[in-house]
Amino acid sequence: MTVTELHSVRAGTPRRSAAAWLHQILSMPAGAILLVFLVVQLACIIAGLAFPDDFRYLSPQNMGILMRSVPVLGCLALGAGILMIAGEFDLSIGSVYTLTAVIMAMLVGNGIDAFIAAPIGLMVGAVIGLGNGFLTLRFNLPSFIVTLGGLLFWRGAVLLINGAVQVRFDPNPVFNAMFGGTVLGINAAFIWFILLCLAFWALLHRHKLGNHIFATGGNRAAATAIGVNTSRIKMIAFAIAGFMAAFAGILATTRVGSVQPGQGAGLELQAIAACVIGGLSLRGGRGSILGVFLGVMLIFTITDVLLLMRAPGFYLDMFIATLIVVASIFNHGLDRRGGAL
Amino acid sequence: MSLLALHNVNKHFGPLKALSDLSFEINENEVVGLLGDNGAGKSTTVNMISGIHQPTSGHISVDGKKQVFTCRRDSAEAGVETIYQNTALVDSLSISRNIFLGRELTNRFGFMDLKRMREISMQVLESAVHISGIDSPDKLVGDLSGGQKQAVAIARAVFFKRRVLLLDEPTSALSVRETEALLNQVLKLKAEGVSSVLVTHNLYHAYQVCDRFVIMSHGTKVLDVDKANTTIEELTQHVVLT
Ligand SMILES: Nc1ncnc2c1ncn2[C@@H]1O[C@H](COP(=O)(O)OP(=O)(O)OP(=O)(O)O)[C@@H](O)[C@H]1O
Ligand SMILES: [Mg+2]
């Protein structure tokens, strides 16, 4: 190293490292949302420490709410996110979530063991996903339209098979502990969600199937020309979205102990919102599991803060709406980023 | 016996007849120049040999045996490797993930060996096409220039080469120096026993490396001639006048 080089390195170090650090974070696939998330968390924690009586962000009760509320939206968003990266949508996941939960609860109510009823619910979810995929691909339709049909159809089906009454869900104690209990103070549902995040991360970012999912959503014609069976990949992604909707149904139902026929309405939009906030492209081919996770956490945090401040519910919708649009503008500007390195 | 041959192939796209009664062959150790005006059907032919399109009638044979390529995987199995006219790359994936797309190096559970994929990508990019400015295999393909993208497509084909390499206008975005490197690569592959089909509008490039020329017009073959029996002038006349 020459003298001038040494000089410039030494002179540039302190300032540049902060700027370089910021630049490095921002150029990560989910960097911007990570930064926003950290800032929001920091602000909430400081506020919670400063006003422990008025703003109970750090109270054990609030932590408990976090661990119980996040997994349901989180599981829906993981499935919706994989499908979005593959270049398709599923608007029916909210209805499928309710339908599979109702089916599972009715089976258990008729004396079938929960460990048999739950897999049946998951299978129904996956099969409905495959059905969405089949209609979309076979007739070359936008999945938006097909699954909009699914949203209404399955919502109606719930009322058809069950009526507008709530269904009690009373599984055996082992099942209850596995999906509704706590381990070392941590909610079982939350542990499931974290494990699923890790599994989805490995699948999407480290497994060849994930590579094919990115390629299918990023440029379907090219992926086909190179030898990826893009129809198969899309079918798999649709099945995963349906499966995860059913899994979210299991977590929610076990927690509450019953199913309300109307409980899934709007959840599909929140899941897609979480994905968009997390940096997934609406055109497919871009995004990350970390982004989905942070998108879900951010939506929860905003909900939580508004509740803690006793703000009226409509603020929540307005806040999330703003966040979606801002995130889209930001992602659009950075459309080059967020691919798979 | 020919390595690969088309027998009376027809291809319709709805009412449009893109190929009619096309037959030609590719022999071992041979570079064939596939020439013709815009819309003559060259890319359609290349895509058919790659398995992207299926013939409406007629068939393809490999080593004299009839073959049906229903998708890209079938042709890859038969030893065909293609550089497509529109490069066929995924912008949102990195260079090394593009090069190994569909043929990832994995362990037995399907998890990718990203480190080796990166290393090999850089090696191939450096040796196959002496392309300037690609310094990392982690760059997204969407951030590359047109010529760099073409280099990635070439690197992929050269790395997985087996028996026949199809090149559909591979030099359209390359500089003079890179074009020379690519043409030399075609000759080097021939010496290693890989035959090529070179589609190009540049007759000088074709004349430089090809052993035989097939000229197409409106979906049919109008000339099939060895290099020894023709001149650039004759080729030009056939391309322009038919
Ligand atoms: N997928 C398709 N659907 C419909 N028509 C097509 C399709 N692909 C090609 N064609 C038509 O088939 C004909 C031959 O096209 P092709 O791409 O094979 O020409 P080409 O010789 O490669 O031309 P160029 O030199 O411009 O690349 C054209 O008339 C084109 O419009
Ligand atoms: Mg062409």
Side-chain angles (χ1 to χ4, degrees):
Chain A
M1 210 183 263
T2 66
V3 177
T4 41
E5 272 175 88
L6 261 178
H7 195 75
S8 69
V9 166
R10 201 177 295 151
T13 307
R15 269 252 179 108
R16 198 182 299 152
S17 63
W21 180 81
L22 195 67
H23 185 263
Q24 200 184 344
I25 290 217
L26 280 177
S27 59
M28 273 165 46
I33 170 85
L34 180 62
L35 213 59
V36 172
F37 179 74
L38 290 177
V39 169
V40 169
Q41 286 304 323
L42 205 66
C44 289
I45 290 172
I46 290 173
L49 288 174
F51 311 103
D53 294 327
D54 296 321
F55 190 72
R56 300 170 174 275
Y57 189 71
L58 295 172
S59 68
Q61 291 89 329
N62 197 44
M63 290 293 136
I65 292 175
L66 179 147
M67 289 192 291
R68 286 195 302 272
S69 313
V70 162
V72 172
L73 180 61
C75 288
L76 284 164
L78 283 176
I82 285 248
L83 185 59
M84 250 167 96
I85 294 176
E88 303 287 348
F89 285 100
D90 191 343
L91 294 177
S92 71
I93 51 176
S95 298
V96 171
Y97 154 87
T98 313
L99 175 77
T100 53
V102 164
I103 290 176
M104 180 180 71
M106 285 173 77
L107 288 174
V108 171
N110 282 315
I112 293 173
D113 193 274
F115 281 108
I116 298 170
I120 291 176
L122 294 173
M123 282 239 305
V124 170
V127 168
I128 291 176
L130 287 174
N132 288 334
F134 175 78
L135 291 173
T136 302
L137 298 169
R138 174 69 182 74
F139 300 103
N140 211 0
L141 300 169
S143 50
F144 188 87
I145 299 299
V146 170
T147 59
L148 180 63
L151 184 157
L152 298 169
F153 187 87
W154 298 117
R155 186 191 282 172
V158 167
L159 298 176
L160 175 72
I161 60 175
N162 179 61
V165 294
Q166 83 166 37
V167 194
R168 271 177 54 80
F169 180 62
D170 202 4
N172 61 62
V174 182
F175 190 92
N176 240 335
M178 268 182 72
F179 295 95
T182 53
V183 182
L184 301 173
I186 300 174
N187 212 275
F190 195 73
I191 296 176
W192 278 107
F193 174 52
I194 296 297
L195 289 178
L196 282 166
C197 280
L198 294 175
F200 272 63
W201 175 84
L203 177 82
L204 194 62
H205 296 296
R206 288 294 176 269
H207 197 273
K208 71 174 179 191
L209 183 65
N211 211 33
H212 295 184
I213 289 174
F214 272 109
T216 300
N219 185 343
R220 190 175 180 192
T224 308
I226 299 164
V228 174
N229 187 341
T230 52
S231 299
R232 192 178 134 250
I233 296 294
K234 289 198 176 204
M235 288 297 273
I236 292 174
F238 270 109
I240 291 177
F243 180 92
M244 291 306 288
F247 194 83
I250 294 178
L251 294 182
T253 310
T254 313
R255 185 185 100 211
V256 181
S258 66
V259 192
Q260 307 291 339
Q263 67 182 15
L267 267 182
E268 62 285 324
L269 295 181
Q270 277 202 34
I272 291 174
C275 294
V276 172
I277 292 168
L280 273 68
S281 166
L282 288 168
R283 285 183 225 102
R286 291 169 202 279
S288 65
I289 293 299
L290 178 63
V292 175
F293 175 80
L294 293 174
V296 171
M297 292 301 283
L298 206 57
I299 287 191
F300 169 78
T301 306
I302 292 170
T303 316
D304 191 32
V305 167
L306 291 174
L307 279 176
L308 288 172
M309 301 197 327
R310 296 187 192 82
F314 54 79
Y315 278 117
L316 175 65
D317 291 338
M318 292 170 69
F319 237 99
I320 291 179
T322 312
L323 203 59
I324 292 174
V325 174
V326 171
S328 301
I329 292 170
F330 191 78
N331 292 337
H332 195 66
L334 298 178
D335 224 2
R336 283 283 145 79
R337 290 183 188 146
L341 295 182
Chain B
M1 190 176 57
S2 63
L3 170 51
L4 194 146
L6 273 66
H7 305 272
N8 309 98
V9 166
N10 287 281
K11 177 68 189 175
H12 301 251
F13 289 112
L16 184 116
K17 200 162 190 193
L19 299 179
S20 59
D21 209 25
L22 178 69
S23 304
F24 74 93
E25 55 184 36
I26 304 152
N27 299 306
E28 303 269 4
N29 272 303
E30 187 180 44
V31 181
V32 177
L34 187 58
L35 312 175
D37 207 347
N38 292 121
K42 308 179 296 293
S43 295
T44 306
T45 308
V46 165
N47 290 341
M48 188 170 293
I49 302 175
S50 306
I52 309 288
H53 296 324
Q54 281 72 49
T56 310
S57 67
H59 71 275
I60 296 174
S61 68
V62 178
D63 296 323
K65 281 195 283 290
K66 183 179 168 179
Q67 292 272 349
V68 182
F69 296 159
T70 56
C71 65
R72 170 71 189 107
R73 265 170 205 278
D74 294 344
S75 69
E77 226 158 80
V80 176
E81 198 53 50
T82 310
I83 300 168
Y84 297 95
Q85 182 166 9
N86 51 13
T87 59
L89 298 168
V90 182
D91 279 356
S92 57
L93 287 179
S94 70
I95 293 173
S96 63
R97 281 178 183 247
N98 259 289
I99 288 181
F100 285 96
L101 185 58
R103 290 178 283 207
E104 293 84 358
L105 304 177
T106 62
N107 66 14
R108 84 184 108 130
F109 305 109
F111 288 98
M112 297 183 284
D113 187 346
L114 291 173
K115 185 160 168 279
R116 265 191 66 216
M117 282 163 54
R118 281 197 198 100
E119 285 166 7
I120 295 176
S121 300
M122 271 331 264
Q123 276 169 21
V124 199
L125 276 171
E126 275 159 18
S127 62
V129 256
H130 308 272
I131 201 84
S132 33
I134 299 181
D135 46 13
S136 157
D138 296 331
K139 259 194 165 162
L140 297 188
V141 162
D143 293 339
L144 300 178
S145 76
Q148 289 170 334
K149 282 187 188 179
Q150 219 156 32
V152 173
I154 292 165
R156 174 169 64 203
V158 168
F159 179 69
F160 288 105
K161 73 192 168 204
R162 292 253 317 280
R163 301 187 69 192
V164 186
L165 182 60
L166 310 174
L167 307 96
D168 195 352
E169 300 189 31
T171 59
S172 58
L174 296 187
S175 72
V176 177
R177 189 175 62 95
E178 288 151 359
T179 301
E180 281 305 310
L182 175 68
L183 296 177
N184 284 329
Q185 187 71 40
V186 170
L187 293 176
K188 195 170 141 227
L189 289 176
K190 186 173 90 167
E192 292 170 13
V194 179
S195 294
S196 294
V197 176
L198 175 63
V199 177
T200 177
H201 287 292
N202 189 322
L203 297 182
Y204 295 93
H205 291 164
Y207 205 73
Q208 198 178 330
V209 293
C210 296
D211 305 305
R212 192 155 56 83
F213 303 93
V214 172
I215 298 183
M216 292 179 63
S217 171
H218 302 293
T220 47
K221 185 169 83 174
V222 292
L223 186 72
D224 189 337
V225 62
D226 284 335
K227 183 177 184 177
N229 301 325
T230 190
T231 59
I232 288 208
E233 288 73 30
E234 191 194 7
L235 294 175
T236 312
Q237 277 196 343
H238 272 88
V239 171
V240 174
L241 295 180
T242 53

